[in-house]
Amino acid sequence: MKTMIKMNLKLLLRTKAFWFFLILTPILSTVVLKSKFDSSAAYMQKEEGKILELSGADDKLAYNGGNGEYLVKVYDASKSRLSEGLLQNLAGSGMYMICRADLTEQGEVFTEEFVDRHMESDGFEDRMGAAVYIYPGFGSASSAEDYAENIKIYDLSGDERGELLEADIEFLINGCARGGEDFLDAVNAVYEKKELISISGRESTELTAEQVNHKTQIGYAFAFMTLGFVFSGIFVAHSAISEQKNGVFTRIGLTGTGAVKYFASKLFTAVIISLMSTGVMGACSLFMDQHDLGMSRIKYLLLIFLLGLIFSSISMLLGMIIGDVMGANVAAFSVWCLSALLSGLYFPLNDTSDFIKMLASIMPQKWFLNASEMIITGDNTAFGMVLCITVAYLCVVVSMGSLGIRLKRVSEWGNS
């Protein structure tokens, strides 16, 4: 078997495309991990009944309404106790997701140009239910008419909940005109007594915005690295396909080498390839510090190695079973595309259908992404989970690969 492994490695090292994927994908992964971007709006869980604070008036809301929430963008130039109480009551009702842009700190004023510009942006470049403008004089208003003049509501979706929003705001400002802050406090006390129960289970732990960004970047890095691992495994399969077509596979069988031993030589070659790719990634990681990874370098490289072992062996198995170079390449690329898409490497799957979530649980990247999330939060039990996942996939690969080799050998003998 050692001889077969050495021959496989010699063939791989002579292949230029193998070196391309071996070196390029770790470099791309390093570039992604070194990049700084904020993806917390898409990934962080929203706290029910609370106001979501925006960093500025130009922030988009499209990523905040994954469960069909009625998004309301509030331009608050008052930031008084009355405006705070009004928005807390709307958020506490559970009917709306209130997203506030505080304009007092930025010195923004509600000019006609400002309103027109943001109305166009909200209506055509974003997705929300309504936009609410609270003017600076809202906090000093004394009558229902004064309150109504200092707050403007624009329905941007045609959703029936827009009428309910207008009715709720009218009710609250009429109450403010009669009882002021005491009225808002009384209504808010009623909302605080409500028990909010989530019926959609959450698998992920609570992450900070910085940890969410680390997890997102690691997901993108996993996508690039799995591309390299998938095609590295295909190159191993190419040698097996060539051996089958040139009769080498038959001659190996005549020497008494069993199907399991032959497949094991290919699998050990895939293990060595995974070690080589992990080594290149380790060299690239020297240009990063722990802050870029969100975890220690050793832990990250261990995740990369185990994930690479799974994908290089799976792609090798597919190529050997298909028995055609072009078909193997197409299958490898399809596996990489679909698995990365369905595992949540590119976008969160929290709000997808149960069927999509079931498909995601079959993809190895999902478990490794969950493991990285656990490690980022200090839970080292993640390694036990990924080791079990790796062993499970390798058992499936070994059993199917040995069976496939035996069937091919029987088929060749039958044709001869």
Side-chain angles (χ1 to χ4, degrees):
M1 188 168 69
K2 290 182 180 179
T3 303
M4 289 188 289
I5 294 175
K6 289 180 181 178
M7 292 300 297
N8 291 331
L9 289 175
K10 286 181 180 179
L11 290 173
L12 283 174
L13 296 177
R14 293 173 185 171
T15 306
K16 295 181 181 179
F18 169 73
W19 286 103
F20 174 80
F21 285 102
L22 181 68
I23 296 175
L24 181 63
T25 52
I27 293 176
L28 292 175
S29 300
T30 303
V31 171
V32 169
L33 290 170
K34 290 287 289 183
S35 303
K36 303 298 181 184
F37 52 85
D38 185 11
S39 56
S40 57
Y43 285 84
M44 289 189 69
Q45 300 178 15
K46 286 78 182 178
E47 190 174 357
E48 294 186 51
K50 301 295 183 181
I51 300 172
L52 178 63
E53 300 291 349
L54 303 176
S55 60
D58 294 326
D59 283 10
K60 304 297 182 184
L61 303 191
Y63 293 114
N64 292 286
N67 288 317
E69 295 92 345
Y70 188 77
L71 297 177
V72 180
K73 187 173 184 179
V74 180
Y75 298 88
D76 189 358
S78 173
K79 201 66 184 297
S80 60
R81 282 200 62 189
L82 283 172
S83 67
E84 181 75 19
L86 172 70
L87 298 180
Q88 287 289 357
N89 276 277
L90 292 174
S93 68
M95 293 294 297
Y96 323 103
M97 178 175 286
I98 305 297
C99 306
R100 173 171 57 189
D102 182 5
L103 304 186
T104 57
E105 297 179 359
Q106 301 177 10
E108 298 273 13
V109 292
F110 283 146
T111 62
E112 184 176 348
E113 181 183 0
F114 175 88
V115 175
D116 290 342
R117 177 165 57 88
H118 283 85
M119 280 294 296
E120 182 177 357
S121 174
D122 294 342
F124 295 101
E125 301 176 13
D126 204 352
R127 183 181 65 83
M128 65 186 70
V132 177
Y133 294 82
I134 301 179
Y135 288 78
F138 185 84
S140 58
S142 57
S143 65
E145 291 76 13
D146 291 338
Y147 282 115
E149 289 179 359
N150 283 281
I151 185 170
K152 302 298 180 183
I153 308 166
Y154 298 90
D155 186 359
L156 300 176
S157 65
D159 193 304
E160 293 181 356
R161 287 174 289 185
E163 298 179 3
L164 183 61
L165 174 67
E166 294 182 9
D168 284 344
I169 292 178
E170 183 179 357
F171 167 74
L172 291 172
I173 62 177
N174 285 333
C176 289
R178 294 191 302 269
E181 296 177 7
D182 293 336
F183 172 78
L184 291 176
D185 292 340
V187 176
N188 195 42
V190 175
Y191 289 140
E192 288 179 350
K193 292 180 181 179
K194 295 194 308 178
E195 182 181 2
L196 297 177
I197 301 175
S198 176
I199 61 175
S200 58
R202 296 281 186 180
E203 297 180 359
S204 58
T205 54
E206 201 70 32
L207 300 177
T208 64
E210 184 180 12
Q211 290 172 334
V212 167
N213 292 332
H214 283 313
K215 177 187 173 183
T216 307
Q217 290 172 299
I218 288 175
Y220 293 146
F222 281 169
F224 284 116
M225 287 303 297
T226 50
L227 176 63
F229 287 123
V230 163
F231 277 95
S232 295
I234 281 296
F235 293 136
V236 178
H238 285 180
S239 65
I241 294 171
S242 178
E243 290 168 357
Q244 293 170 20
K245 291 183 176 181
N246 296 330
V248 177
F249 177 60
T250 303
R251 292 195 294 271
I252 291 175
L254 294 175
T255 63
T257 302
V260 175
K261 194 172 182 180
Y262 176 80
F263 185 77
S265 69
K266 302 297 183 184
L267 185 61
F268 275 113
T269 305
V271 174
I272 295 173
I273 290 173
S274 299
L275 285 172
M276 293 172 63
S277 297
T278 306
V280 176
M281 186 66 220
C284 293
S285 68
L286 296 177
F287 296 95
M288 301 181 291
D289 53 27
Q290 184 172 334
H291 180 74
D292 295 324
L293 295 172
M295 64 180 74
S296 70
R297 186 175 287 104
I298 298 298
K299 293 177 181 179
Y300 176 72
L301 292 179
L302 181 58
L303 290 178
I304 289 294
F305 170 70
L306 294 176
L307 185 62
L309 191 58
I310 292 175
F311 273 94
S312 58
S313 59
I314 288 177
S315 61
M316 178 195 66
L317 171 65
L318 288 175
M320 294 176 68
I321 291 178
I322 292 173
D324 177 73
V325 173
M326 183 58 69
N329 291 338
V330 172
F333 189 74
S334 300
V335 166
W336 174 70
C337 288
L338 291 176
S339 62
L341 185 66
L342 294 175
S343 60
L345 294 186
Y346 302 137
F347 48 81
L349 302 177
N350 294 332
D351 301 322
T352 57
S353 65
D354 292 336
F355 178 71
I356 297 297
K357 291 179 180 178
M358 181 190 68
L359 289 179
S361 63
I362 305 175
M363 307 302 164
Q365 300 102 310
K366 177 185 183 299
W367 298 100
F368 280 80
L369 196 60
N370 289 345
S372 66
E373 179 178 316
M374 295 168 65
I375 295 171
I376 288 172
T377 56
D379 186 357
N380 290 323
T381 59
F383 289 106
M385 179 185 72
V386 294
L387 283 173
C388 291
I389 293 297
T390 303
V391 170
Y393 276 100
L394 290 181
C395 288
V396 173
V397 169
V398 170
S399 59
M400 293 184 65
S402 301
L403 178 60
I405 293 295
R406 285 174 180 168
L407 292 176
K408 278 186 172 292
R409 179 167 293 176
V410 171
S411 177
E412 288 186 1
W413 289 347
N415 293 332
S416 61

